[in-house]
Amino acid sequence: LFRQRTGYSPMQFLMKIRMERAKQLLHQPLTIQQVASSVGFSDPLYFSKQFKKWFGIPPSKYKK
């Protein structure tokens, strides 16, 4: 039912919300590690991989 209404599984939807918030935070003067932590990732490397998977570019490039 959730997938029918949103087009995402619950986990994908949560990841989408986290990644969208990360994009907003990357416009702030925060480090990648701080952004990762703010959106619920304890490992900045894993966050970077997930960000690149969602948006096609690493967060460091997006930040620039």
Side-chain angles (χ1 to χ4, degrees):
L1 185 62
F2 188 88
R3 185 184 293 271
Q4 289 174 346
R5 294 193 185 260
T6 65
Y8 297 98
S9 72
M11 288 301 295
Q12 289 172 325
F13 188 78
L14 177 60
M15 186 65 77
K16 177 183 181 299
I17 299 290
R18 293 164 84 185
M19 289 295 127
E20 292 296 332
R21 180 65 180 141
K23 279 174 75 172
Q24 294 172 352
L25 291 173
L26 286 168
H27 292 290
Q28 305 297 321
L30 301 170
T31 66
I32 302 297
Q33 185 171 3
Q34 290 170 320
V35 172
S37 180
S38 294
V39 295
F41 288 88
S42 58
D43 182 358
L45 181 58
Y46 181 68
F47 163 73
S48 293
K49 287 179 182 181
Q50 290 301 308
F51 190 93
K52 185 173 182 181
K53 181 178 171 182
W54 273 85
F55 301 115
I57 60 171
S60 56
K61 271 195 175 175
Y62 181 82
K63 189 169 179 63
K64 291 179 185 177

